[in-house]
């Protein structure tokens, strides 16, 4: 994940949950320490995060319609799910991801 991608993700997640996210909010989502987390996020918005934080952000990104549901989470395209039900199941999953983002921010 690059810095510009992280900036875009902050904007997209904010739109997905219905309120803008600050650098401090993103730090909370990444489980960074409150004292220095916002500064770390601002640095990463230039250089990009890596490792487990980048992976966590890729997972949380699924809350937004602009990001694909990652293959390991995509249980909706299996043969045992009726094709007519798949869009509703995907939307239900994204709503659960949005709820997860909101919970992490509280």
């Amino acid at each position: 994940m690059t810095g510009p991608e992280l900036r875009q993700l902050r904007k997209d997640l904010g739109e997905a949950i219905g309120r803008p996210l600050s650098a401090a909010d993103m730090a909370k989502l990444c489980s960074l320490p409150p004292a220095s987390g916002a500064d770390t996020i601002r640095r990463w918005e230039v250089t990009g995060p890596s490792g487990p934080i980048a992976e966590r952000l890729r997972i949380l990104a699924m809350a937004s319609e602009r990001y694909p549901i990652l293959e390991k989470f995509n249980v909706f395209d299996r043969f045992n799910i009726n094709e007519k039900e798949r869009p509703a199941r995907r939307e239900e999953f994204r709503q659960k991801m949005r709820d997860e983002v909101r919970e992490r921010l509280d």
Side-chain angles (χ1 to χ4, degrees), residues 2-20:
T2 66
E5 289 171 339
L6 178 60
R7 281 192 303 275
Q8 185 63 47
L9 176 59
R10 178 166 34 146
K11 179 181 174 191
D12 293 340
L13 283 177
E15 288 175 6
I17 66 167
R19 71 172 186 88

Side-chain angles (χ1 to χ4, degrees), residues 19-64:
R19 71 172 186 88
L21 296 177
S22 67
D25 291 333
M26 289 299 286
K28 264 188 180 178
L29 291 177
C30 295
S31 300
L32 296 173
S36 61
D39 291 334
T40 301
I41 292 295
R42 284 188 278 276
R43 274 195 311 277
W44 284 347
E45 286 183 341
V46 175
T47 63
S50 62
I53 297 293
E55 186 60 27
R56 176 180 290 182
L57 291 170
R58 280 188 195 92
I59 292 169
L60 293 174
M62 292 186 292
S64 172

Side-chain angles (χ1 to χ4, degrees), residues 1 6 8 12 14 25 31 36 39 42 46 49 54 66 68 71 74 80 84 92 94 96 99:
M1 176 176 286
L6 178 60
Q8 185 63 47
D12 293 340
D25 291 333
S31 300
S36 61
D39 291 334
R42 284 188 278 276
V46 175
R66 292 190 178 151
E71 185 64 35
N74 190 1
N80 61 343
K84 294 177 186 175
E92 180 183 352
R94 288 195 190 274
K96 287 181 181 179
D99 293 343

